[in-house]
């Protein structure tokens, strides 16, 4: 009996980890048309509640031949959006002119571009049963 309880605990933890691992996926995001390899691309993963606020996760990636890729791992199924920008001067923020126009390239999932900031409705996608790969164009 002394040995049965630790064995049962190990089995339960293993089952829980296996079930959790099956319910999370990866989202691979690639910017495919950066205008230069200078600086980095900043990426942010959002849900509807935090869109354009503090992201679920933020990542940065170097640019090679106009492309930059990040992988968001262990993401539960759900509805998300990704935004990104080309941080040409590596100051870790999007730069704007005095009239509020962006000075650095930006994009969002689904590649809906307009003369306004991205909206969650335009950028949203659903992560279901499989890993997802997205391409974003500036």
């Amino acid at each position: 009996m002394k040995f049965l309880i630790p064995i049962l605990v190990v089995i339960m933890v293993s089952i829980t980890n296996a079930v959790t691992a099956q319910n999370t996926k990866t989202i691979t995001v690639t910017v495919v048309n950066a205008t230069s390899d200078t600086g980095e691309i900043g990426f942010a993963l959002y849900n509807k509640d935090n869109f354009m606020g503090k992201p679920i996760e933020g990542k940065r990636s170097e640019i090679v031949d106009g492309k930059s890729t990040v992988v968001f791992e262990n993401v539960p199924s759900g509805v998300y959006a990704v935004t990104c920008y080309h941080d040409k001067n590596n100051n870790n923020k999007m730069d704007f002119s005095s009239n509020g126009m962006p000075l650095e390239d930006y994009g969002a999932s689904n590649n809906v571009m307009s003369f306004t900031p991205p909206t969650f409705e335009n950028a949203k996608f659903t992560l279901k049963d499989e890993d997802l790969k997205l391409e974003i164009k500036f």
Side-chain angles (χ1 to χ4, degrees):
M1 186 68 173
K2 247 190 321 192
F3 297 106
L4 186 58
I5 292 176
I7 291 172
L8 289 175
V9 168
V10 168
I11 291 171
M12 292 301 294
V13 168
S14 297
I15 291 171
T16 302
N17 287 342
V19 169
T20 302
Q22 290 174 357
N23 291 332
T24 62
K25 303 296 175 221
T26 62
I27 302 170
T28 303
V29 185
T30 302
V31 167
V32 296
N33 66 337
T35 55
S36 75
D37 291 354
T38 303
E40 292 182 317
I41 305 290
F43 295 84
L45 176 67
Y46 297 101
N47 61 27
K48 186 173 184 168
D49 296 332
N50 67 355
F51 188 69
M52 299 301 279
K54 184 176 182 195
I56 295 169
E57 186 174 0
K59 292 191 172 212
R60 296 175 65 78
S61 179
E62 68 179 349
I63 307 161
V64 177
D65 296 329
K67 293 184 179 183
S68 180
T69 300
V70 297
V71 179
F72 296 103
E73 298 177 305
N74 301 315
V75 182
S77 297
V79 180
Y80 299 95
V82 173
T83 63
C84 56
Y85 74 101
H86 186 171
D87 188 8
K88 293 178 183 177
N89 58 1
N90 285 323
N91 66 350
N92 295 317
K93 66 178 185 171
M94 177 104 172
D95 295 320
F96 296 90
S97 67
S98 59
N99 67 358
M101 295 299 291
L103 296 172
E104 296 173 309
D105 296 327
Y106 65 94
S109 42
N110 296 330
N111 295 305
V112 175
M113 295 301 289
S114 62
F115 293 105
T116 61
T119 65
F120 185 79
E121 288 304 311
N122 286 340
K124 72 180 178 180
F125 59 88
T126 301
L127 180 64
K128 291 184 181 179
D129 301 327
E130 296 180 0
D131 295 340
L132 193 59
K133 292 185 179 187
L134 304 173
E135 285 190 354
I136 296 180
K137 297 177 183 174
F138 289 149

